[in-house]
Amino acid sequence: MASCSACGAAIIFGGKTVGDQRFCNDECAQNGLILARARQLSDADVRVFASQIHSGQCPKCSGAGPIDVRTSHQVWSALLFTRWKSTQQIACRRCGIKSQAGDLAISVVAGWWGFPWGLLMTPIQVGRNIFDMALAPNPTQPSPKLLQQARLILAQRSLFAEGADA
Ligand SMILES: [Zn+2]
Ligand SMILES: [Zn+2]
């Protein structure tokens, strides 16, 4: 059976074929193209672009850097129902801490009220926020996460540029 080249799901019928690759839908086809392009980019190009982001302005508050990937963690529950997620953003440390503190507050207030996942996940998500607030990535150079994001943004841009030419 064919499987999606982007997400790996089995394709039972339909799907989308691009070149010699199969995808389950347009979104996966798009992601697949970006990932394939991302793999072709040279480490040197990615590093230069990541450094530009790192020493540039914060996209959220236009404040000074260093800019890096900041992750905040949230959990909320409603009785038997608990949802948790981690959100990444490219921003300065102040903006990162703002999001982490906001998600921490939401988790403390709304995380507990589900059984059993609310009780289990709330301390984890709260701990992750505290950990990420205290331990920022090295301010002198882009983190591996930023390098990865920079690679994907570059890949997306180069595909977009080709689309505009055609
Ligand atoms: Zn897929
Ligand atoms: Zn900022």
Side-chain angles (χ1 to χ4, degrees):
M1 198 185 322
S3 62
C4 175
S5 299
C7 71
I11 301 170
I12 295 161
F13 62 91
K16 203 173 161 65
T17 306
V18 180
D20 56 355
Q21 293 186 301
R22 294 274 307 271
F23 300 98
C24 29
N25 53 36
D26 283 342
E27 201 186 322
C28 277
Q30 191 69 37
N31 289 340
L33 287 175
I34 293 170
L35 287 174
R37 177 60 57 96
R39 278 194 287 270
Q40 293 164 4
L41 296 170
S42 78
D43 285 348
D45 286 349
V46 170
R47 196 162 281 278
V48 166
F49 183 54
S51 299
Q52 280 172 9
I53 298 174
H54 190 255
S55 58
Q57 276 185 347
C58 173
K60 287 201 83 177
C61 70
S62 306
I67 310 303
D68 212 311
V69 175
R70 316 283 173 191
T71 313
S72 62
H73 313 272
Q74 193 190 95
V75 53
W76 59 271
S77 303
L79 292 179
L80 296 173
F81 183 81
T82 298
R83 274 280 161 85
W84 59 90
K85 63 174 183 182
S86 295
T87 313
Q88 289 194 341
Q89 62 174 346
I90 294 177
C92 69
R93 182 150 156 77
R94 277 175 54 124
C95 287
I97 286 179
K98 215 184 276 181
S99 305
Q100 286 152 352
D103 275 357
L104 186 141
I106 290 170
S107 304
V108 166
V109 173
W112 301 104
W113 315 108
F115 185 82
W117 292 108
L119 293 173
L120 293 171
M121 287 308 293
T122 302
I124 293 175
Q125 295 296 70
V126 166
R128 282 174 172 166
N129 280 314
I130 293 170
F131 188 79
D132 283 346
M133 274 193 273
L135 231 98
N138 183 348
T140 60
Q141 62 181 46
S143 69
K145 273 186 192 162
L146 183 58
L147 287 172
Q148 193 186 338
Q149 289 301 317
R151 184 176 282 275
L152 291 175
I153 295 168
L154 268 184
Q156 208 164 8
R157 280 193 186 170
S158 85
L159 282 172
F160 212 72
E162 277 171 20
D165 290 343

